[in-house]
Amino acid sequence: ATVVATDINASSEEKILQEIHKIGGQVLFFKHDVSKEDDWKNVTDQTVNSFGKIDILVNNAAKLLMKDLESTTSDEWDQIFNTNAKSVFL
């Protein structure tokens, strides 16, 4: 398979590249914040430019906050919503 892998942590790149190459796949990696529209545009544009189209998309990003609602800040809520919901829309 040809895979475009993304992660918000650029430090994940080497491990991802090694794992996919080990099983014979082709891979491109991009640092990608799924809550940012510009990041989505960059990843999709570069993917289409490299491979012509996207056949399958798996959005496997999520953010979990282990604290009660009363102590959750508005900024924390925005981060959770943007990662878990808005990213799917984008």
Side-chain angles (χ1 to χ4, degrees):
T2 301
V3 176
V4 176
T6 70
D7 197 315
I8 196 166
N9 299 313
S11 62
S12 301
E13 179 178 7
E14 189 59 36
K15 181 180 178 190
I16 290 169
L17 293 175
Q18 286 178 358
E19 288 182 15
I20 294 177
H21 285 142
K22 184 171 35 173
I23 60 173
Q26 292 181 302
V27 62
L28 290 179
F29 178 89
F30 299 102
K31 183 177 183 305
H32 179 201
D33 181 341
V34 297
S35 70
K36 306 290 185 205
E37 189 168 359
D38 287 343
D39 280 14
W40 275 108
K41 180 161 178 36
N42 178 51
V43 169
T44 55
D45 286 350
Q46 290 197 50
T47 299
V48 171
N49 287 339
S50 296
F51 305 114
K53 63 181 180 168
I54 299 172
D55 291 317
I56 298 170
L57 173 66
V58 177
N59 187 353
N60 191 33
K63 192 170 206 97
L64 177 64
L65 184 63
M66 299 297 291
K67 60 195 282 191
D68 62 42
L69 188 60
E70 290 178 347
S71 61
T72 300
T73 67
S74 178
D75 285 342
E76 290 169 330
W77 174 254
D78 287 344
Q79 290 173 10
I80 292 167
F81 183 82
N82 289 340
T83 300
N84 298 354
K86 183 178 179 184
S87 67
V88 176
F89 166 76
L90 293 174

